[in-house]
Amino acid sequence: MPAVLFSLMLLGALCRLGESMSREEKSRLRNQVVEMFDHAYQNYMDHAYPADELMPLTCRGRVRGLEPSRGDVDDALGKFSLTLIDTLDTLVLLNKTTEFEAAVRRVLKDVRLDNDIVVSVFETNIRVLGGLLGGHSMAVMLKDGGQNMQWYQDDLLHMAKDLGLRLLPAFNTSSGLPYPRVNLRHGVRGPETRTGTETDTCTACAGTLILEFAALSRFTGDPVFEAHARRAMDFLWEKRQRNSNLVGTTINIHSGEWVRRDSGVGAGIDSYYEYLLKAYVLLGDDQFLQRFNIHYASIMKYISQPPLLLDVHIHKPLLPARTWMDSLLAFFPGLQVLKGDIRPAIETHEMLYQVTKKHNFLPEAFTTDFRVHWAQHPLRPEFAESTYFLYKATGDPYYLEAGRTILDNLNRFARVPCGFAAMKDVRTGSHEDRMDSFFLAEMFKYLFLLFADDEDLPFDIEDYIFTTEAHLLPLSLSTTPHSQSIPSNRTSEEEMDDSNFEWTCPNTRLLFPDPAYPRHLREPIRTAVDKSCPRAAPYREPGMGRPPLRAQDFMANNPEHLELLRRMGVTLIHLKDGRVQLVQHATQAVSAVAAEDGVRFMQDMMELSSQQQKEQLPPRAIQIVSDPFFGRVVLTAGPAQFGIDLSKSATGLRGFVTVAEPYSGCSEITNPEYVRGHIALLQRGQCMFAEKARHIQKAGAIGGIVIDDNEGSSSDTAPLFQMAGDGRSTDDVTLPLLFLFHKEGNILLETLKEYREVEVLLSDKARDRATIFKGKPRPGSQIEGSADVEASEGGCLTEATTPTNFEPISESLISTLALDEIKPSQEAVSDVDQDTSPMDEASPAEGVGPAEKEASPAEEASPAEGVGPADKEASPTEGVGPADKEASPTEGVGPADKEASPTEEASPAEERAPPTVADSTQPKEETDSEKSKEGGTDSNQSVDELLADWREDLEAFQQMEKDEL
């Protein structure tokens, strides 16, 4: 029975639409997949091993505790060479048996599993335990073939059992649901464990264990692992909502109460459904199939709105829980193929493919009208996974072309000298300094299989099933003897009636009597995505009067306005980073009417910020195009409200950078001979942005880049903003000016220090190298037929649309303005941050979201306290000379952009908290007097000393970057 169901994935040659891809072209693409894998794997081994992951922009390993914390995302890292273990079975599938044997020996020799470190039970299970079991399966297969691994004595299996025993303490709960984290050395109880106090876990975290734990039990003969995983699955099934037969996203591991009652097929739930069906395939237990079918019927009834998959409330399944979808649901068409439900799989996949083509990658989250909601893309493989399964089920060469698109975009936009870098923002093409282990474990498996013929594979893929991390477990485990005494919370047998079963898979030849059937399903979806670009009018609640002071008229330096705020109970607090915070206490208003006006003012300010956020242009990009980067490193930058608008320039501005003197740019430039014809680098502070622009323009600069002087600041942790003018006409400024936070600016300064000449491209978004080097040879080009980046269709901007909800029900209403110097113009209204706890209380759970966390004021201030780089005037490239060029081309280069996202199968703690309402199009400027309050440092300090200070401050910076997913 399992073999019958699983064989659906491997049905081919069903419909041939037009000309099939030639064998030669498939072979070329397959070889390209192998070359790309080699590029990623070898750079990990050369620059990162034995660290857990590679940081491809800075060409070094990510070691937990030595890099700034990314919060829960780092719980996948356990100092156990994660990427190598996760990649073991990929090596075999790609016919790299020699490398596999060497990798196994390295794992056995170097990897320790008894580290005193807290890790995610979920991530460690799917990546490390799954990787060890997949590696063991491959080693046994090769050994049985008589050619390789003849020395192997189940060594990886022994390591897997050791790890399984270290995870078991997490299951010591009354419900059987595991704690989300465990200390590999100390377990979960006691102060030395630094864990065990959590009360919640996500459904996927507790329900994505059965494949690995059952395989471990059946490989070793020890039933304890399978028993614990089954108990957790049973408990989740018992706690489903009985009317809707849906499960929530987050559950209390002690009481079994649902903490988050929204239900979907994406982050937080996804692999629970996947493992129900695959547990039936692998283990042959009818109960898993029955449960999956009941859940699936409800999914198709309530969540599936072809081609969309929208979250609903489990108690009111006809009520949508959100208006956006996350990228993790891209696995679902592949699961539907395994189920045998091909039509909705085709429809949803086509929707995802069109969104991918619109943005080059699938954004981490996107709205129902296909706009960007969360802009990052951590090189997730789920879309490639579904593409492979649909090709195997239909034989439609359309899916080979989809695979080609994935390959081309990875090479054009994500490939960097030291591997492949995650996308920080799909709209601009900026990078993040991360290459997750799942990229090697999954992406290259599915792409290789997509373009491979049977004779290209070292074994019969039909003999294995993929885990959620694409590790290979043999189907023969279904016949392996196992203990019949496994405890279960199994419900009464009366539920097990045949009406809950679909015993056979549909004959896909009957599904496609017309060879053009899949194409007919795809065409209306493609049209819907192409035409979708509505602009919703800003919402204003009817019946509300106008307060005495409107948010759009507010000026923080107007005494009359401040007095009006005081009468309404609104106070203004200046923050150290230049913003101001608005706090409203109804009890401090002069009257009840004034208090009500204050509430309306705060609501108006929030609405204004939300509206401007929707109308904002995407951030700008600074792309390093000189040797040896050739456009591969992209930095996220903020624009100015004056000067040339790069969004209206087809080519952007290209030029070499140089440091202006004085570095602040607040007086006449003293090195005009170097600035003339160059893009000038300036330091933030001491004067208005427009004044800096005028000084470098007078010196002959063609553009300018202002670098934040607040050490540790980054676009990861602070919202981008538009640089404001100075309150008078700025029509005289005719050059473009962009803003970089300290972290991104430091990358540019280090690059300039190592290489005497650094050329950059300032543009509205990153260009592909074919465009940058048009008419010139493209050094290092590896892409054939690369084309220009597609423009947004129909003039449709891809915008971040983060819903903002504000309910003035608490005593204090707090909002924060990004304000260095507010000038009396509507464009200079500063952004409002929903930044403190009273506002957080008013944010509904379904409003979760952004890709970027805004630290609280206290967190933002901490890294810079006592550092005070604001007044450093020394040239940041002191001592730059040709000798510096001997350094490694990418050492210390590339943005260490750490944008945490919902991790794969994100746990509840890994779901984003409601965003601060930070309008990145709003002005920030800071005067010298304001900056001087924060203190300063020796103006003669060199950039090396600045970097040393920054490294010393990493520990404090970890707190600021702490993720609240």
Side-chain angles (χ1 to χ4, degrees):
M1 199 97 58
V4 173
L5 183 61
F6 189 68
S7 65
L8 177 62
M9 293 189 302
L10 306 147
L11 297 175
L14 293 176
C15 56
R16 306 293 185 206
L17 303 182
E19 291 296 321
S20 298
M21 184 179 285
S22 68
R23 290 180 62 88
E24 291 76 17
E25 181 65 5
K26 284 182 66 177
S27 177
R28 186 188 73 79
L29 293 172
R30 184 178 65 252
N31 292 336
Q32 188 177 21
V33 172
V34 175
E35 184 277 328
M36 292 166 66
F37 170 83
D38 289 340
H39 178 67
Y41 178 71
Q42 201 55 53
N43 272 290
Y44 166 74
M45 296 304 296
D46 291 346
H47 299 291
Y49 182 82
D52 284 315
E53 289 180 344
L54 170 67
M55 298 172 68
L57 298 180
T58 49
C59 295
R60 67 180 191 271
R62 183 182 297 284
V63 179
R64 192 169 171 185
L66 298 184
E67 300 295 331
S69 171
R70 302 175 299 169
D72 294 336
V73 176
D74 283 339
D75 287 345
L77 312 180
K79 298 183 179 179
F80 35 37
S81 301
L82 173 63
T83 297
L84 183 60
I85 291 177
D86 221 359
T87 308
L88 289 176
D89 49 6
T90 307
L91 289 166
V92 178
L93 182 66
L94 271 58
N95 296 290
K96 296 182 176 295
T97 52
T98 302
E99 291 89 339
F100 171 73
E101 191 160 349
V104 172
R105 291 185 185 275
R106 280 182 181 268
V107 169
L108 299 177
K109 172 172 155 297
D110 298 338
V111 174
R112 294 176 57 93
L113 298 174
D114 62 345
N115 301 312
D116 182 10
I117 193 168
V118 176
V119 297
S120 162
V121 173
F122 166 76
E123 297 288 355
T124 304
N125 171 65
I126 65 171
R127 301 202 205 189
V128 186
L129 183 57
L132 292 171
L133 293 172
H136 170 69
S137 300
M138 296 294 98
V140 170
M141 181 270 296
L142 291 173
K143 183 177 181 180
D144 291 345
Q147 297 288 323
N148 303 90
M149 303 296 292
Q150 296 304 300
W151 54 269
Y152 183 71
Q153 299 294 324
D154 294 344
D155 310 84
L156 292 176
L157 181 59
H158 298 322
M159 288 186 68
K161 184 173 182 180
D162 178 27
L163 180 60
L165 291 172
R166 295 180 184 280
L167 296 179
L168 282 184
F171 292 83
N172 188 19
T173 63
S174 57
S175 66
L177 299 179
Y179 284 96
R181 298 173 186 81
V182 67
N183 186 300
L184 289 176
R185 181 177 297 176
H186 301 295
V188 296
R189 295 285 175 88
E192 73 278 3
T193 67
R194 304 184 303 283
T195 187
T197 59
E198 303 93 340
T199 58
D200 305 336
T201 193
C202 72
T203 302
C205 300
T208 311
L209 300 159
I210 186 64
L211 293 190
E212 293 84 0
F213 272 49
L216 182 58
S217 282
R218 299 191 182 204
F219 273 133
T220 63
D222 187 345
V224 65
F225 305 105
E226 184 173 346
H228 281 292
R230 281 179 177 267
R231 186 182 176 204
M233 293 286 273
D234 290 344
F235 190 84
L236 290 173
W237 170 253
E238 286 295 320
K239 291 299 178 181
R240 75 192 186 283
Q241 211 289 323
R242 298 303 177 101
N243 292 324
S244 66
N245 281 316
L246 296 174
V247 292
T249 302
T250 308
I251 191 170
N252 185 293
I253 60 177
H254 304 296
S255 68
E257 294 295 320
W258 290 110
V259 178
R260 282 187 50 193
R261 294 177 172 84
D262 48 313
S263 182
V265 295
I269 302 180
D270 46 5
S271 49
Y272 163 68
Y273 294 133
E274 178 186 3
Y275 270 38
L276 278 173
L277 182 55
K278 289 184 175 180
Y280 164 70
V281 175
L282 180 65
L283 307 177
D285 188 332
D286 295 343
Q287 186 184 60
F288 290 119
L289 178 61
Q290 175 221 16
R291 293 177 179 179
F292 175 80
N293 283 334
I294 291 173
H295 280 315
Y296 186 77
S298 293
I299 290 170
M300 299 309 292
K301 181 178 181 179
Y302 300 119
I303 295 172
S304 177
Q305 301 178 33
L308 308 180
L309 293 164
L310 294 178
D311 286 17
V312 299
H313 295 276
I314 58 174
H315 295 287
K316 297 179 180 179
L318 298 177
L319 182 64
R322 59 177 60 152
T323 58
W324 49 271
M325 296 165 280
D326 65 75
S327 64
L328 287 172
L329 61 75
F331 90 101
F332 198 67
L335 188 65
Q336 290 179 306
V337 170
L338 182 58
K339 157 73 176 171
D341 200 0
I342 307 297
R343 175 174 181 143
I346 291 173
E347 293 173 334
T348 299
H349 180 276
E350 180 62 19
M351 177 270 293
L352 296 168
Y353 186 28
Q354 295 305 317
V355 173
T356 297
K357 290 201 292 187
K358 204 174 199 53
H359 305 299
N360 297 322
F361 296 98
L362 197 61
E364 195 72 329
F366 52 94
T367 61
T368 53
D369 56 359
F370 313 114
R371 302 184 191 210
V372 172
H373 183 69
W374 297 339
Q376 75 272 31
H377 172 77
L379 306 181
R380 292 202 185 279
E382 285 78 14
F383 178 67
E385 174 185 358
S386 289
T387 302
Y388 162 66
F389 285 131
L390 270 169
Y391 176 68
K392 298 302 289 185
T394 66
D396 188 344
Y398 179 84
Y399 296 107
L400 295 177
E401 294 302 325
R404 188 207 300 267
T405 299
I406 298 171
L407 276 185
D408 288 347
N409 287 343
L410 284 172
N411 271 320
R412 289 167 64 191
F413 304 113
R415 187 166 183 145
V416 295
C418 282
F420 291 85
M423 306 307 296
K424 179 180 177 62
D425 193 317
V426 298
R427 299 164 299 179
T428 64
S430 58
H431 291 131
E432 190 174 350
D433 202 5
R434 65 186 283 194
M435 187 178 79
D436 291 85
S437 68
F438 54 70
F439 182 62
L440 287 164
E442 301 183 67
M443 182 70 82
F444 294 111
K445 275 197 189 83
Y446 292 125
L447 290 176
F448 182 82
L449 287 168
L450 178 64
F451 298 113
D453 295 318
D454 290 343
E455 58 267 26
D456 300 317
L457 304 179
F459 54 87
D460 189 350
I461 198 69
E462 292 188 52
D463 293 338
Y464 296 84
I465 191 169
F466 290 108
T467 69
T468 194
E469 189 80 0
H471 292 306
L472 294 160
L473 298 177
L475 291 173
S476 58
L477 288 174
S478 63
T479 61
T480 302
H482 63 286
S483 171
Q484 298 298 320
S485 62
I486 293 174
S488 174
N489 293 337
R490 184 167 179 155
T491 55
S492 61
E493 293 298 320
E494 63 190 16
E495 292 185 4
M496 298 285 291
D497 63 272
D498 284 350
S499 65
N500 290 323
F501 291 88
E502 296 171 12
W503 290 106
T504 58
C505 301
N507 185 331
T508 51
R509 290 184 182 276
L510 299 179
L511 282 175
F512 305 125
D514 177 4
Y517 176 75
R519 184 181 60 200
H520 293 328
L521 293 179
R522 290 191 294 258
E523 282 177 352
I525 297 167
R526 182 182 304 120
T527 302
V529 175
D530 285 345
K531 291 182 178 178
S532 180
C533 191
R535 287 194 177 274
Y539 172 77
R540 181 176 294 277
E541 189 173 348
M544 297 297 290
R546 177 178 294 181
L549 177 63
R550 299 185 305 170
Q552 58 263 43
D553 297 330
F554 171 66
M555 292 179 291
N557 56 355
N558 186 318
E560 293 181 7
H561 290 181
L562 296 179
E563 174 60 20
L564 286 172
L565 291 187
R566 186 194 66 78
R567 294 179 62 83
M568 293 187 293
V570 179
T571 56
L572 185 143
I573 304 171
H574 288 274
L575 303 178
K576 287 188 175 181
D577 62 359
R579 295 176 302 158
V580 296
Q581 188 176 70
L582 294 178
V583 183
Q584 202 258 348
H585 295 277
T587 56
Q588 296 179 6
V590 295
S591 67
V593 174
E596 185 179 350
D597 286 342
V599 169
R600 292 180 192 171
F601 173 81
M602 299 294 282
Q603 288 177 315
D604 197 18
M605 186 65 80
M606 296 297 297
E607 182 182 334
L608 177 66
S609 175
S610 177
Q611 174 187 345
Q612 290 170 336
Q613 190 173 28
K614 292 178 181 179
E615 295 174 352
Q616 70 183 18
L617 294 173
R620 305 294 184 250
I622 297 177
Q623 199 166 0
I624 304 178
V625 299
S626 54
D627 184 8
F629 309 103
F630 305 120
R632 292 190 177 99
V633 174
V634 184
L635 307 176
T636 301
Q641 291 183 347
F642 51 85
I644 293 176
D645 184 355
L646 292 171
S647 67
K648 298 178 181 177
S649 170
T651 58
L653 175 71
R654 183 168 170 174
F656 289 90
V657 297
T658 190
V659 178
E661 294 180 4
Y663 188 29
S664 68
C666 291
S667 59
E668 187 171 345
I669 302 301
T670 59
N671 61 338
E673 67 277 13
Y674 295 107
V675 171
R676 187 175 300 109
H678 287 67
I679 296 172
L681 301 183
L682 304 155
Q683 187 180 49
R684 179 186 181 185
Q686 304 186 37
C687 63
M688 306 298 289
F689 289 120
E691 187 177 347
K692 299 175 189 289
R694 290 188 180 98
H695 283 139
I696 61 171
Q697 180 173 291
K698 183 178 179 182
I702 59 174
I705 299 172
V706 178
I707 298 173
D708 196 7
D709 57 350
N710 182 18
E711 261 188 61
S713 69
S714 166
S715 60
D716 304 332
T717 54
L720 285 172
F721 53 81
Q722 277 190 319
M723 294 178 284
D726 55 3
R728 55 194 180 96
S729 174
T730 52
D731 293 342
D732 59 317
V733 179
T734 58
L735 50 70
L737 192 69
L738 296 184
F739 177 87
L740 285 178
F741 282 108
H742 183 272
K743 193 173 180 183
E744 288 82 2
N746 201 44
I747 291 163
L748 191 56
L749 292 175
E750 284 198 71
T751 305
L752 187 59
K753 185 177 179 181
E754 290 192 26
Y755 304 96
R756 184 170 55 186
E757 294 186 338
V758 176
E759 188 178 16
V760 300
L761 174 66
L762 312 184
S763 58
D764 61 330
K765 60 183 178 181
R767 312 291 187 189
D768 73 333
R769 293 192 295 152
T771 304
I772 296 172
F773 298 102
K774 192 172 183 180
K776 303 177 184 178
R778 287 185 290 150
S781 176
Q782 302 184 25
I783 315 303
E784 297 180 15
S786 178
D788 291 357
V789 181
E790 294 182 7
S792 297
E793 300 166 33
C796 179
L797 293 175
T798 59
E799 303 174 13
T801 56
T802 311
T804 301
N805 292 283
F806 180 79
E807 300 174 14
I809 56 175
S810 61
E811 179 181 350
S812 298
L813 304 179
I814 298 183
S815 126
T816 304
L817 298 176
L819 175 71
D820 284 346
E821 184 91 9
I822 295 297
K823 291 296 171 181
S825 67
Q826 180 170 342
E827 290 75 25
V829 173
S830 304
D831 50 337
V832 179
D833 290 340
Q834 189 173 326
D835 203 10
T836 52
S837 54
M839 293 284 289
D840 292 339
E841 292 171 3
S843 302
E846 56 268 26
V848 293
E852 300 184 5
K853 171 186 179 288
E854 170 91 14
S856 68
E859 287 173 319
E860 290 177 345
S862 62
E865 281 178 17
V867 178
D871 300 322
K872 295 169 185 171
E873 275 286 4
S875 170
T877 53
E878 231 170 74
V880 172
D884 295 327
K885 293 187 71 173
E886 295 175 9
S888 168
T890 54
E891 229 171 305
V893 176
D897 300 323
K898 301 176 189 68
E899 175 113 25
S901 60
T903 63
E904 182 151 332
E905 327 301 342
S907 72
E910 294 167 13
E911 290 282 2
R912 285 281 178 189
T916 56
V917 184
D919 183 357
S920 64
T921 66
Q922 293 309 300
K924 262 184 177 179
E925 184 53 273
E926 206 155 286
T927 63
D928 185 30
S929 61
E930 289 171 354
K931 291 300 292 183
S932 65
K933 293 177 184 177
E934 296 181 38
T937 57
D938 185 354
S939 62
N940 294 320
Q941 229 177 340
S942 70
V943 70
D944 289 333
E945 291 170 313
L946 292 177
L947 294 175
D949 288 343
W950 181 76
R951 291 188 182 99
E952 289 173 6
D953 206 40
L954 278 180
E955 205 167 316
F957 185 49
Q958 288 175 0
Q959 294 302 315
M960 185 176 76
E961 285 215 331
K962 192 170 184 182
D963 229 324
E964 294 177 359
L965 288 168

